[in-house]
């Protein structure tokens, strides 16, 4: 397994759609693509992020469905990102990119109003560390710095605890606008990308009969 990781790390360095950004890189000065991501994609299409994207299968699937949008998956695990980046290259998808970095630094990689939409799919629910949850107020304040006014945030998770924490504590405290929320997405009658695209792990949860929760809310 370690050998495969090393091989993937080496191959990651050759991918032109995978950017690896360290804390030292950010301390050296403004990140080169900050405010210029549309130049990288060579179009003016909306930029949509998936935070904690893992292998990037959800990012790639969304990009396949919506070629008129640009998608960037973010995760700290390089061996996981390898799969999504490689798939996008093999399929010659020019509307997909990936960033390996800590999500705590994400606002240093994107300028104000540069991001149109954010997906948070099956993140670590951090049951004992609420301040590390990707939907806690600390992170949402970070997202505000780069998300366009009224831009939606999607939380899709198998964790009822994380769903309820976000819905009942974080959203009311921040006065965010809830567009849709359900404790059981696939029995809710909802129509849209949240049910039409699944991650690898999500398919497994559904096979086990485990309900998937979903919230779509807007940060003003």
């Amino acid at each position: 397994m370690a050998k495969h990781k090393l091989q993937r790390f080496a191959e990651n360095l050759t991918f032109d759609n995978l950017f690896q950004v360290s804390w030292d890189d950010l301390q050296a000065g403004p990140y080169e693509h900050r405010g210029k991501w549309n130049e990288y994609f060579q179009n003016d299409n909306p930029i949509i992020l998936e935070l904690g994207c893992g292998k990037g299968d959800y990012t790639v699937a969304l990009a396949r469905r919506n070629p008129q949008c640009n998608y960037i998956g973010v995760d700290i695990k390089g061996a996981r990102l390898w799969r999504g980046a490689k798939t996008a290259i093999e399929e010659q998808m020019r509307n997909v990119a990936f960033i390996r970095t800590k999500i705590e630094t994400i606002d240093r990689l994107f300028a104000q109003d540069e991001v149109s939409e954010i997906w948070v799919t099956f993140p670590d629910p951090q049951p004992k560390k609420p301040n590390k949850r990707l939907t806690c107020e600390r992170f949402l304040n970070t997202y505000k710095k780069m998300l366009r006014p009224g831009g939606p945030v999607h939380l899709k998770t198998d964790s009822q605890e994380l769903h309820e924490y976000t819905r009942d504590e974080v959203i009311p405290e921040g006065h965010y606008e809830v567009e849709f929320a359900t404790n059981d997405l696939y029995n809710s009658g909802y129509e849209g990308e949240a049910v039409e695209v699944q991650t690898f792990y999500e398919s497994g949860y559904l096979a086990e009969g485990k309900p998937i929760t979903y919230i779509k809310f807007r940060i003003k």
Side-chain angles (χ1 to χ4, degrees), residues 4 30 42 49 78 81 84 92 140 145 150 174 209:
H4 288 308
Q42 298 183 1
L49 304 186
L81 289 174
Q92 299 183 344
L140 291 178
K145 297 176 184 178

Side-chain angles (χ1 to χ4, degrees), residues 79-219:
R80 295 177 184 174
L81 289 174
W82 169 86
R83 180 64 271 170
K86 189 173 181 68
T87 296
I89 288 173
E90 290 172 342
E91 296 185 16
Q92 299 183 344
M93 301 176 69
R94 300 307 306 167
N95 65 327
V96 186
F98 293 92
I99 303 174
R100 183 187 181 190
T101 196
K102 291 184 177 180
I103 294 175
E104 288 86 343
T105 67
I106 197 70
D107 59 316
R108 294 171 178 255
L109 278 66
F110 296 91
Q112 183 177 354
D113 299 344
E114 191 170 17
V115 174
S116 295
E117 194 169 341
I118 292 175
W119 285 82
V120 182
T121 51
F122 299 90
D124 185 337
Q126 299 287 353
K128 296 181 180 180
K129 299 178 180 179
N131 67 330
K132 288 193 173 184
R133 294 171 179 167
L134 294 187
T135 57
C136 74
E137 190 63 23
R138 175 171 69 98
F139 278 107
L140 291 178
N141 284 333
T142 298
Y143 307 157
K144 286 179 187 178
K145 297 176 184 178
M146 58 188 187
L147 190 62
R148 293 179 180 177
V153 176
H154 307 259
L155 171 65
K156 192 177 182 185
T157 176
D158 63 306
S159 170
Q160 293 286 341
E161 180 182 359
L162 178 58
H163 173 82
E164 292 169 4
Y165 162 81
T166 304
R167 181 195 64 196
D168 299 337
E169 296 183 38
V170 178
I171 289 176
E173 180 70 22
H175 303 287
Y176 304 125
E177 177 186 344
V178 176
E179 186 168 316
F180 187 82
T182 177
N183 287 81
D184 190 354
L185 176 61
Y186 291 93
N187 288 306
S188 69
Y190 183 82
E191 297 180 358
E193 291 177 328
V195 295
E196 294 165 354
V197 179
Q198 297 177 7
T199 70
F200 172 80
Y201 294 108
E202 180 179 2
S203 299
Y205 297 144
L206 290 170
E208 296 171 3
K210 194 172 186 178
I212 304 300
T213 72
Y214 173 67
I215 306 175
K216 180 180 181 180
F217 62 100
R218 296 184 183 274
I219 298 178

